[in-house]
Structures are given as structure tokens and as C-alpha cells.
Amino acid sequence: MNLTAEQTDVLERARQGSDLVVEAFAGTGKTTTIVALAKDRGLRGTYVAYNRAIVDDVRSVLEHEAPQVQARTAHSLAYASVGRRFKHRLSTERISSRQVAKILHLSPLDLTVRGSERTFSPAFLAGCVTEGTRNFANSADPEPDVRHLPAIEGIDEHGEHRNDDAYRTQLFPALCLAWDDLSDESGSLRFSHDAYLKIWQLRGGRVPGEVVFLDEAQDTNPVIAAAITASNGQLVAVGDSYQQIYAWRGALDMLDGLGMRPGTVRGRLTHSFRFGPEIASVANHLLGLLGAPATITGAGAPGTIARAEAPDAILCRTNAGVVSMLLEHLEARPCAIVGGGGQLAGFARGVAELEATGRSTHPELVCFSSLEDLWAYVADDPSGSDLALMVKLCVRYGPETIIDAVARAVPESTPGCLVLSTTHRAKGRQWAAVRLGPDWPQRTLDSPDELRLAYVAVTRARQVLDLSECPILGETIHA
């Protein structure tokens, strides 16, 4: 195994026995370094990542190079300890929101929504409680709290009375009842893998080994972070802080020293084998705007920043951007949607339901009484900006057209297909030719969140990076 000088330096630092943080820029041989560390240390331990596909890839290498280190997802660790007791609940059929409402003894709730009184059905409230249990299960909190319940779009946002607080207070007993049910091996609610992961963490779950390797440490699920920091072994956290794009979902950046013990040492990998100096220059501009203390060296094959007439992938900022690209390209090429199109079709069905009945059960649309009401909201209210493009697409093409287009999407394994993805879903992926979609900001790209997302997007390309439909980024680079 031939290592770079930086990788060799990381090995030297790990030999000190202290916790180690490795800042690894995009494409810099992160997996190679982790395997080299595992082999060099020779200690029994565990490699942990959230994504099962990543774990499977690393496991196949560790089995030959460092078999004393097991590659596991946190869920597999939790299942072996706790989850197996709930195995019978994992196979349960889907339960309707009406059934959940009955189990939780929920009644209709009257609230002020955008100045008008609305009655929320027990079934809709049951969906809110279910989302609240998911939020709690993905936190490191010791018990459910009112803040785990989701906000409802439009509930008296600017009024004197905080109806959103009132709603949460009234639903909180149901949230506690729901979690009690999920914690019970003989409970009735639908049980998920995240539920037993949380139960494991609450019962003192920890990752075993003399050394623990944490991959993608910049976006660590709080539950996994709690189990990692409870471990007794040397902790090696590897990732890229500038690829942290899930902070909005509560993810923690373990590279920032969170949970590390005194004496933690740091290393850095900057030589990217994924792309050459051309794409590296774009990434470095973004890193400079983010205040990064180092730059990427493009050590891969030379590439180009140019229009790709037939890109392998188009990376969008939003789900609406994916739909727009799907409608534009579907007739010319087979199109695949990373992660499937279930959420996209679900929103379109919600709009169709709203148009037909004046009501919608979709969580984003429940507070609207007509399509005109929804249209006015996204047109006039700044808080509706995140829905605006998707709503405009539904109005322009019709919900059924979007539903049909999503149904026509092909698997990613289809030869010659165009892969369409949000940048969030493209994390950890790479393609030869990548185009950025047209739904990136058109005037400014200066918030840290947007810059990190753009950094992830441009570093998915190996040979050709197409910025032709993302003018603000192209202008920023050449400014």
C-alpha cells in the first residue's frame, strides 16, 4: 500500500494513542487511510459509518488487510444488543394515521392558521406525533420533549398568541405515550430501525473496541455520537467539515472536537485522486470563501470546466430542481432519480388532492383550503419560498404530469441513463461528467450552508464539471 506523505503523517500521529481527527478533503483517499490506520495500529476495534453501502465497501477491504477491525453500521450494533428483541415488531404492516390516532386517544384540535380557525383531524395530529417520535429517536436527548414535535406551516406565525406552542403542549402527552409504546416489546405502533437504535443508546449502548474509526464524522447522527463518545477505545474521526450539509437535520460535526478527549491530535489529507487541478481550482475557491486553512491539490487525471452535452449526472439544489430536470430530459434520455421519486410524487398527489377537495393530508399542505390559497402563500409570504418552485411546477404542468414522469424514472443501473439528484443525496457519490442544475441561487452564493453544498456538488465530478446552468457559481469562480 503506497501512502502519501500526508497519510504517513496521519499514521505517525495515530501511534501516539490519543484521539485523532483527520480532516480529509473530497477524494483524498479517506478509505485507504482508514484501512492503513487499522492495519498499522493492529488493535481490535470497530469501523462505524451510517451508510450501509459505505460499510460494505470498507468491510471487504478490512477483511483482508485488518481483520481484527469490524466494519459495522451503528444500527447493526444496536440490533445485536437490543434490536433483536423487537424483531417481531419490525415486520409489522403499515398502520394508518387513523389507527395511530385511536391508539394514542387523539381528538380534533382547533388552531388559528394564518388568521383563520381550522380544525385539525386526529389522523393529521397522529402524523405529527409520529414525526415527533422520529425527531426524538434521532436526537441524543434522554427523554421526549415538546420541541421534538414538528412545526405546522402557517400556525399563527405573527399573532399575539403562540398557537404553535399550544399545539405542542396539547400533543406532548401523546408523544410520551407513543414513545412508551415503541419502548415496549409488546407495543402496537409501527416500529422502525431508528427506534431500537435510540433504545440502545438510552440503555448505555457504546461502540466496542480498543480503537473506533468514525467515518463521515462531519455529519454524525446525535444518537451515534453519544454511543461513540461513550466508548473506551481510541477514537479516530475522519471526514470533511466543509462537506457538512446535514446540520439543519441536527447532525453534529465530530471533527470540531465534540466529544474528543484532552490531547486529541489532528491530521489533514489534501491530495485528491478523484479529479485534477481544473476541478480542484473551483473547489479551492469555495474553500477560500469558507475560510478553510488549506487547499486541495488536484492529483487526479486532468479535467475541464466546460459544457457537457451528455452529462452523467445533474445535481440540483432542491427536489423541485430534480422534477424540473426530469420533465426537461425524460423524452430524450432515460432518467434515474437518486433515492427514488416517492417524495416528489407524494407532494404532487397532495396538490392534486388540495385542488380537488380543498383539503390535503400532505404535511406541507394541510393548512391550505384551496390551490389559490397555496399559490397566494408562495407568491406573497417569504416563509413559502421553499415550496414556491414545486408549487409552480404543479400549476404549470399539472400534478398528474409530475406523478407520471416520476413513475417513468428508471433504475440507476440502466445503461446510458441520466442520473438526477439533489446534492444532499449525491453525497459520497461521483461521476465522470457532472452538471449543476439551474435551481442554484442566481444572485448570491455567500452563506456557509450554500457554499458547503456547492463544494459537495462540484467535487462529485471526476473529469468534466459543467457550470453552464449555474451562472452565479461560474461568475464567482472567475471574479
Side-chain angles (χ1 to χ4, degrees):
M1 186 181 296
N2 296 320
L3 301 179
T4 66
E6 288 179 326
Q7 291 171 324
T8 301
D9 178 69
V10 166
L11 260 63
E12 292 292 340
R13 294 173 186 271
R15 289 167 184 161
Q16 300 176 26
S18 301
D19 286 351
L20 171 65
V21 168
V22 182
E23 186 81 45
F25 287 153
T28 54
K30 181 164 52 76
T31 299
T32 299
T33 305
I34 289 173
V35 172
L37 284 166
K39 187 175 182 179
D40 184 75
R41 296 294 285 139
L43 302 174
R44 298 184 64 84
T46 307
Y47 163 92
V48 180
Y50 187 83
N51 187 290
R52 181 174 179 177
I54 293 175
V55 170
D56 288 343
D57 288 343
V58 173
R59 179 185 293 118
S60 65
V61 182
L62 285 174
E63 287 175 349
H64 293 92
E65 299 291 337
Q68 81 283 359
V69 175
Q70 290 189 324
R72 306 284 295 273
T73 63
H75 282 89
S76 72
L77 292 168
Y79 183 82
S81 176
V82 172
R84 63 175 67 251
R85 303 175 197 170
F86 294 84
K87 181 179 179 180
H88 60 288
R89 295 195 62 181
L90 287 168
S91 60
T92 55
E93 296 181 357
R94 185 179 296 274
I95 300 175
S96 72
S97 293
R98 289 183 180 179
Q99 291 174 292
V100 173
K102 187 174 182 179
I103 293 170
L104 299 179
H105 312 296
L106 289 169
S107 301
L109 183 60
D110 295 325
L111 294 170
T112 301
V113 178
R114 301 170 62 234
S116 302
E117 287 295 320
R118 288 286 301 274
T119 298
F120 289 87
S121 69
F124 173 76
L125 298 174
C128 295
V129 173
T130 299
E131 185 174 347
T133 62
R134 286 196 294 265
N135 291 338
F136 171 61
N138 285 317
S139 76
D141 298 324
E143 57 189 21
D145 189 272
V146 290
R147 59 189 170 80
H148 294 127
L149 290 163
I152 298 178
E153 190 75 38
I155 291 186
D156 198 21
E157 293 172 328
H158 308 296
E160 295 180 3
H161 303 290
R162 296 292 296 172
N163 276 323
D164 52 351
D165 291 342
Y167 132 77
R168 286 187 172 98
T169 299
Q170 293 184 63
L171 274 192
F172 182 62
L175 175 64
C176 295
L177 182 61
W179 184 252
D180 287 342
D181 178 284
L182 292 172
S183 302
D184 188 341
E185 294 177 31
S186 59
S188 303
L189 296 177
R190 193 179 190 198
F191 195 80
S192 71
H193 293 277
D194 284 346
Y196 69 71
L197 178 68
K198 180 62 178 176
I199 293 169
W200 173 66
Q201 181 257 318
L202 290 174
R203 294 180 183 178
R206 63 178 61 188
V207 180
E210 299 171 285
V211 60
V212 175
F213 298 95
L214 174 64
D215 203 351
E216 297 291 330
Q218 78 282 348
D219 273 319
T220 304
N221 180 303
V223 177
I224 298 174
I228 289 283
T229 55
S231 304
N232 296 321
Q234 179 187 17
L235 173 57
V236 179
V238 185
D240 185 352
S241 291
Y242 304 102
Q243 292 190 59
Q244 187 190 27
I245 56 175
Y246 286 106
W248 58 273
R249 206 165 65 182
L252 305 174
D253 185 2
M254 296 286 283
L255 301 170
D256 198 30
L258 183 68
M260 298 297 182
R261 288 159 281 218
T264 296
V265 295
R266 306 185 73 89
R268 181 177 288 129
L269 304 177
T270 64
H271 284 69
S272 180
F273 306 101
R274 180 179 300 162
F275 44 73
E278 299 81 7
I279 295 174
S281 68
V282 180
N284 282 329
H285 186 85
L286 294 168
L287 288 173
L289 294 174
L290 285 164
T295 57
I296 294 180
T297 298
T304 183
I305 313 299
R307 175 79 178 180
E309 295 305 325
D312 299 298
I314 298 179
L315 305 185
C316 301
R317 180 177 166 272
T318 63
N319 281 324
V322 171
V323 171
S324 179
M325 292 295 95
L326 178 66
L327 295 172
E328 179 178 329
H329 294 279
L330 188 58
E331 298 304 324
R333 286 177 70 182
C335 294
I337 301 173
V338 173
Q343 289 182 331
L344 307 175
F347 187 90
R349 281 192 289 269
V351 171
E353 181 184 25
L354 179 65
E355 186 176 21
T357 68
R359 294 273 180 170
S360 177
T361 55
H362 192 282
E364 297 276 15
L365 305 173
V366 71
C367 66
F368 302 102
S369 57
S370 68
L371 188 58
E372 291 73 19
D373 187 26
L374 171 62
W375 182 257
Y377 173 72
V378 300
D380 302 330
D381 194 324
S383 60
S385 61
D386 59 328
L387 299 180
L389 182 53
M390 194 66 186
V391 172
K392 289 177 182 177
L393 289 170
C394 287
V395 170
R396 178 180 178 184
Y397 295 102
E400 295 301 330
T401 297
I402 294 173
I403 295 169
D404 176 68
V406 170
R408 292 170 59 192
V410 300
E412 281 188 67
S413 58
T414 304
C417 73
L418 171 62
V419 177
L420 304 174
S421 179
T422 62
T423 301
H424 283 92
R425 289 189 179 273
K427 181 73 173 60
R429 310 284 290 278
Q430 55 180 292
W431 294 270
V434 171
R435 177 186 298 166
L436 268 61
D439 63 332
W440 290 81
Q442 297 299 300
R443 291 186 294 275
T444 60
L445 188 66
D446 53 10
S447 75
D449 288 343
E450 293 286 2
L451 290 168
R452 283 194 294 267
L453 197 62
Y455 168 67
V456 170
V458 302
T459 55
R460 299 311 93 197
R462 296 196 306 270
Q463 298 172 4
V464 180
L465 175 61
D466 180 351
L467 303 177
S468 61
E469 295 191 28
C470 185
I472 182 60
L473 185 54
E475 292 169 8
T476 300
I477 297 304
H478 296 104

